Amino acid sequence: MSEEEVLEIIEEKEFNPVNKKESTAGYHHHHTCTNENCTENHEHNPIIKKKKKKDSDTISTSSKVTTRTSTTRRTTTTSRSKKPAPNVLCCLCGISTPANPANMCLNCIRSQVDITEGIQKEETIFFCRECERYLQPPKYWVKCDLESKELLTLCLKRIHGLQKAKLIDAKFLWTEPHSRRLKVKLTIQKEVFGNGTILQQSFIVDFIVRNQQCEVCQKSHTLFTWNAVVQVRQKLDHKRTFLFLEQLILKHGVHEKAINIKEEADGIDFFFSDKSSSKKLVDFLQSVSPIKMKTSERLVTHDASSNVFNFKYSFSLEIAPICREDLICLPKRLHVSMGGIGPFVLCTKVNKNLFFIDPTTLQTSEIDGALYWRQPFHATLTSRQLSEFTVIDVELLEYSYFAKKSQVNNNNAENDNETTASVAVNGKYMLCEVQVVRSDEMDSDPIIVKSHLGRLLKPGDTVLGYDLHRLQFEEETIKEYKHSQMNKLPEVILVRKVYKKRHERNWKLKTLASEKNFGVKGDFNANEAIDEQKEVVMKKKKNKKESNEKIGIGTGGADKFDVKRREKDIEEFYRELEEDEEMRAKINIYKKELTAKKETKTEEEDDDISVEEDDYAPTITETELLDEEKELKNKTKPLTMKHQGDDETEEQN
């Protein structure tokens, strides 16, 4: 028997306390006396009085005598006496041993009986390395951490013959992390010889961990095995919406059960092995974007005898073609129902609702996603049609019907005594009157417009805006306002400030391409995103290139255009994150090691001009960044096995 194994004999007998002779067997004498004098003497005699008290206690209570003998410690306990039990001779070898129902010593019992017989000492469990789950026969896969209660339960169910004995204790023993072995120490009890002798023994069961792919992971490496697909589309010429949507999906982990993710020209496809997982993704996307959904199903197989139908489900989601900084001309009916806002408004935020602001009055409003799809409309001008202007003068306005008055520092005051000014403020927006000129026509007359960027603008700044006099509108867009509101339209609508310099980015983002089975591993930066886009373009146009090469036509220009457009979308998405604190609070941003401190210029500047602190673009602070290494350690911490006493020894050292 190994050092870990312990054999014990447990004996249980019940005694009848009614029998006076058995209950008083421990006394030297016992008598009864009827003489009154004798009774009085007994009362004065402390020894006899103590004996009578013991007799009454013995008769009034019942006792259970248990004898426990082990190889390391031999003790005999009774409820009435602390004297050790008498020894008897072993019926086989004749050695003196404590009394027990078997009348045998421990060595003879060990040679005659093995209560662990019939219990498997070595078992095999299967583990999927990709999804990190264990097989629970016949077909269920369970997520378990090492040395957890779930894994211990799974191991105990795998031991054959354990139900024949009574399980007392079970625990893990330390093994090497890469040994692919698990050791469980069990303590069991079992009755032997049929005469009430109960033996207790401890032993170790070894489990061999073998690798086996689960059904879900097997399907992820094959084609045409999906049962549900979620197709997300947006009819726009840029990918900024999907870049932000990708970060939301990664933060909430709704893509974990997807067996494949495929990028398309105008969206993304998510493939799942079951309908319920795809429905979770659909519900999540509906909670963060204004979406219109269409569902369809196709019959794959049908078993008429068992009445079983197998379908493939498709969820087609279309995101509203409205993005931040888009200029929208509201329909006449919607313009009236929203309190007369606009009709030209800027989109400031998009989630499941659309948020708008009138930059000339600071009036704000929002539209529910379901209401938008009942009366859909498109953006009149997008961010790709912005023009550059230079600010000449800025004057804060004191009054607006849709804004509150607030006291702010007046940096443009002529007198030193006028340090504060009363201005119209609505949230983070401040109403002002700005004089601007087109950057390509600096000698032209200035244009006076109202803007909501009073907090940011100062003379000499560069801004981007929509030049309504130069841009052409669709006839259907403005025909409803031709005779009423067109005379009130501003010449320019300013959108955002352009910063002269930006700090080096000390942060990075993750992508779906870094997840398993979804592409090449890597961090989210412009170079890797361009490489991924190149691979997507090459796969999509592979057949077309082969046919064009035969007739001598090249497609290199189209590929370069797609790559440049992708690079521009990523850069604009980066700038939005840096300038919008509310936007970056919804996603996970990670720290990035900087090799050298550099400053990137957004436009050409003379070396003689000094750049002030206000000319630097906002940056993401260190407190907003997450440590990727710590996050990985927290995820992999349960995957290493430790002995229970290791933590205590480390603390002592």
Side-chain angles (χ1 to χ4, degrees):
M1 182 175 292
S2 62
E3 295 180 358
E4 291 83 358
E5 295 182 353
V6 178
L7 181 64
E8 297 179 353
I9 302 176
I10 297 177
E11 172 195 353
E12 296 182 354
K13 284 187 178 181
E14 290 188 1
F15 290 83
N16 187 6
V18 178
N19 193 345
K20 278 189 176 182
K21 293 183 179 180
E22 292 184 3
S23 61
T24 59
Y27 294 97
H28 296 283
H29 63 276
H30 176 73
H31 68 279
T32 56
C33 182
T34 57
N35 191 357
E36 295 179 357
N37 297 330
C38 185
T39 303
E40 294 177 357
N41 293 334
H42 289 178
E43 292 178 356
H44 293 284
N45 191 342
I47 298 177
I48 298 177
K49 185 177 182 180
K50 185 177 182 181
K51 288 181 181 180
K52 292 180 67 177
K53 185 177 181 181
K54 286 186 177 180
D55 290 346
S56 60
D57 292 341
T58 305
I59 295 174
S60 61
T61 59
S62 62
S63 61
K64 187 174 182 181
V65 181
T66 302
T67 304
R68 184 182 184 94
T69 308
S70 64
T71 55
T72 58
R73 183 181 179 184
R74 299 179 180 179
T75 59
T76 303
T77 306
T78 63
S79 61
R80 297 183 56 257
S81 176
K82 295 183 180 180
K83 292 184 178 181
N87 292 342
V88 296
L89 297 179
C90 177
C91 62
L92 295 181
C93 62
I95 297 178
S96 177
T97 182
N100 57 76
N103 291 329
M104 297 171 63
C105 63
L106 290 177
N107 293 330
C108 294
I109 292 177
R110 189 181 304 161
S111 62
Q112 296 292 325
V113 179
D114 183 13
I115 63 175
T116 64
E117 185 179 0
I119 301 176
Q120 293 289 337
K121 303 298 191 304
E122 186 173 336
E123 294 287 349
T124 302
I125 57 176
F126 296 96
F127 175 73
C128 181
R129 291 184 295 180
E130 296 189 11
C131 60
E132 298 179 354
R133 294 186 298 174
Y134 291 89
L135 175 62
Q136 182 177 347
K139 60 178 181 179
Y140 300 103
W141 292 84
V142 184
K143 180 74 174 179
C144 301
D145 296 332
L146 289 182
E147 296 193 5
S148 63
K149 296 180 180 179
E150 293 79 9
L151 183 57
L152 183 60
T153 303
L154 180 64
C155 293
L156 294 178
K157 291 181 179 179
R158 296 288 296 161
I159 301 176
H160 297 284
L162 188 60
Q163 63 276 9
K164 298 179 181 179
K166 181 181 179 181
L167 181 62
I168 302 301
D169 187 23
K171 62 181 178 179
F172 283 102
L173 297 180
W174 183 87
T175 56
E176 291 292 340
H178 304 291
S179 62
R180 311 298 296 173
R181 297 290 189 274
L182 298 176
K183 289 188 176 182
V184 180
K185 184 177 181 180
L186 303 178
T187 302
I188 61 173
Q189 288 183 359
K190 190 176 182 181
E191 183 179 355
V192 295
F193 302 128
N195 58 359
T197 302
I198 299 176
L199 298 184
Q200 179 173 307
Q201 187 172 347
S202 300
F203 62 100
I204 297 174
V205 180
D206 294 333
F207 292 88
I208 303 174
V209 182
R210 299 192 182 278
N211 295 325
Q212 178 179 328
Q213 279 188 332
C214 62
E215 295 179 357
V216 177
C217 295
Q218 289 176 0
K219 288 183 178 182
S220 64
H221 294 281
T222 56
L223 299 176
F224 310 109
T225 56
W226 56 271
N227 293 327
V229 59
V230 180
Q231 300 173 332
V232 187
R233 298 289 184 268
Q234 187 180 34
K235 297 177 181 179
L236 289 175
D237 57 350
H238 60 80
K239 294 278 188 178
R240 286 186 298 148
T241 302
F242 289 102
L243 292 175
F244 181 66
L245 199 62
E246 180 182 23
Q247 299 304 315
L248 292 177
I249 292 174
L250 286 170
K251 181 177 181 178
H252 295 85
V254 292
H255 68 292
E256 293 179 350
K257 293 188 177 181
I259 60 177
N260 192 17
I261 298 177
K262 185 178 180 182
E263 184 178 0
E264 297 295 338
D266 55 350
I268 307 176
D269 293 345
F270 298 85
F271 298 90
F272 296 89
S273 59
D274 57 279
K275 182 181 177 182
S276 59
S277 300
S278 61
K279 196 66 173 66
K280 291 180 181 178
L281 177 61
V282 171
D283 295 339
F284 173 76
L285 294 178
Q286 287 179 335
S287 65
V288 297
S289 299
I291 285 178
K292 178 177 66 174
M293 182 179 66
K294 293 181 180 179
T295 60
S296 61
E297 58 184 23
R298 179 171 61 89
L299 180 63
V300 179
T301 59
H302 172 217
D303 188 356
S305 60
S306 59
N307 198 23
V308 175
F309 297 84
N310 292 328
F311 291 93
K312 283 194 173 182
Y313 303 92
S314 298
F315 299 89
S316 179
L317 308 180
E318 183 180 354
I319 304 176
I322 305 294
C323 295
R324 294 175 73 250
E325 301 178 353
D326 286 353
L327 182 66
I328 298 140
C329 182
L330 296 174
K332 183 72 173 180
R333 184 177 179 182
L334 191 60
H335 162 71
V336 175
S337 64
M338 295 174 63
I341 185 174
F344 282 92
V345 294
L346 287 175
C347 180
T348 57
K349 184 171 64 173
V350 178
N351 45 35
K352 64 180 179 180
N353 299 335
L354 300 173
F355 296 83
F356 304 106
I357 185 173
D358 187 347
T360 60
T361 62
L362 296 187
Q363 182 180 1
T364 58
S365 183
E366 62 180 280
I367 302 176
D368 183 66
L371 177 61
Y372 168 81
W373 286 111
R374 291 195 211 105
Q375 302 176 1
F377 53 86
H378 297 275
T380 305
L381 298 174
T382 63
S383 59
R384 295 192 183 277
Q385 297 171 288
L386 291 171
S387 302
E388 190 175 291
F389 298 88
T390 302
V391 179
I392 297 178
D393 190 15
V394 180
E395 181 182 355
L396 300 178
L397 299 181
E398 297 182 4
Y399 174 76
S400 176
Y401 181 78
F402 303 99
K404 298 179 180 179
K405 286 187 178 181
S406 177
Q407 298 292 329
V408 297
N409 294 329
N410 189 6
N411 298 327
N412 299 327
E414 296 179 358
N415 300 328
D416 296 338
N417 297 331
E418 298 178 0
T419 56
T420 60
S422 177
V423 297
V425 177
N426 187 356
K428 63 179 181 179
Y429 303 109
M430 186 180 296
L431 189 61
C432 65
E433 191 175 68
V434 188
Q435 295 184 18
V436 296
V437 293
R438 298 179 180 90
S439 297
D440 55 351
E441 298 179 359
M442 295 295 295
D443 296 334
S444 61
D445 295 334
I447 304 171
I448 301 176
V449 296
K450 290 183 178 180
S451 176
H452 61 295
L453 303 177
R455 291 185 184 273
L456 303 176
L457 299 182
K458 67 180 188 302
D461 287 344
T462 303
V463 293
L464 295 178
Y466 295 106
D467 194 344
L468 301 184
H469 280 201
R470 288 189 176 184
L471 296 174
Q472 295 181 354
F473 301 96
E474 296 181 3
E475 192 67 23
E476 297 179 357
T477 304
I478 60 176
K479 67 180 181 180
E480 296 178 345
Y481 302 99
K482 251 185 179 180
H483 304 290
S484 58
Q485 299 286 346
M486 286 304 295
N487 295 330
K488 300 180 182 179
L489 290 180
E491 187 175 350
V492 175
I493 294 180
L494 303 181
V495 178
R496 59 182 168 89
K497 177 181 176 179
V498 177
Y499 293 93
K500 297 178 181 180
K501 276 194 173 185
R502 292 185 178 273
H503 296 280
E504 185 179 3
R505 295 188 175 105
N506 59 342
W507 52 273
K508 61 182 179 179
L509 301 176
K510 290 185 177 181
T511 62
L512 292 174
S514 63
E515 298 294 321
K516 53 188 177 182
N517 304 327
F518 301 148
V520 183
K521 293 184 178 180
D523 297 325
F524 187 42
N525 53 52
N527 295 330
E528 294 182 2
I530 292 170
D531 295 338
E532 295 169 10
Q533 180 67 14
K534 287 181 180 179
E535 294 179 3
V536 173
V537 173
M538 294 295 290
K539 290 179 181 179
K540 290 179 181 178
K541 300 184 178 180
K542 183 178 180 180
N543 296 332
K544 185 177 180 180
K545 285 184 178 181
E546 292 177 355
S547 60
N548 291 338
E549 287 176 358
K550 294 180 181 179
I551 59 177
I553 300 177
T555 58
D559 295 343
K560 291 180 180 178
F561 177 76
D562 292 339
V563 172
K564 289 182 179 179
R565 187 169 61 179
R566 172 80 173 184
E567 184 178 7
K568 186 177 180 180
D569 292 340
I570 294 174
E571 182 63 26
E572 289 181 359
F573 177 61
Y574 279 0
R575 291 181 179 181
E576 288 182 2
L577 288 179
E578 291 175 340
E579 298 175 8
D580 193 343
E581 184 178 358
E582 182 181 357
M583 182 179 178
R584 63 176 180 260
K586 299 178 181 179
I587 64 176
N588 290 336
I589 306 176
Y590 299 91
K591 294 180 181 179
K592 178 183 177 182
E593 296 181 359
L594 298 179
T595 56
K597 295 184 179 180
K598 297 180 181 179
E599 296 177 352
T600 58
K601 293 185 179 181
T602 59
E603 61 180 4
E604 295 182 358
E605 297 178 346
D606 296 334
D607 296 336
D608 297 336
I609 300 177
S610 61
V611 181
E612 299 179 359
E613 188 65 25
D614 294 340
D615 294 331
Y616 280 96
T619 184
I620 302 177
T621 60
E622 291 288 340
T623 57
E624 299 179 69
L625 303 180
L626 302 177
D627 194 346
E628 188 177 6
E629 295 182 357
K630 290 183 179 179
E631 185 178 2
L632 293 175
K633 287 181 180 179
N634 294 333
K635 289 183 179 180
T636 58
K637 188 175 182 180
L639 300 179
T640 58
M641 296 181 63
K642 288 187 177 182
H643 192 264
Q644 296 177 353
D646 289 350
D647 296 336
E648 298 178 359
T649 55
E650 290 178 2
E651 293 178 358
Q652 292 176 2
N653 295 333

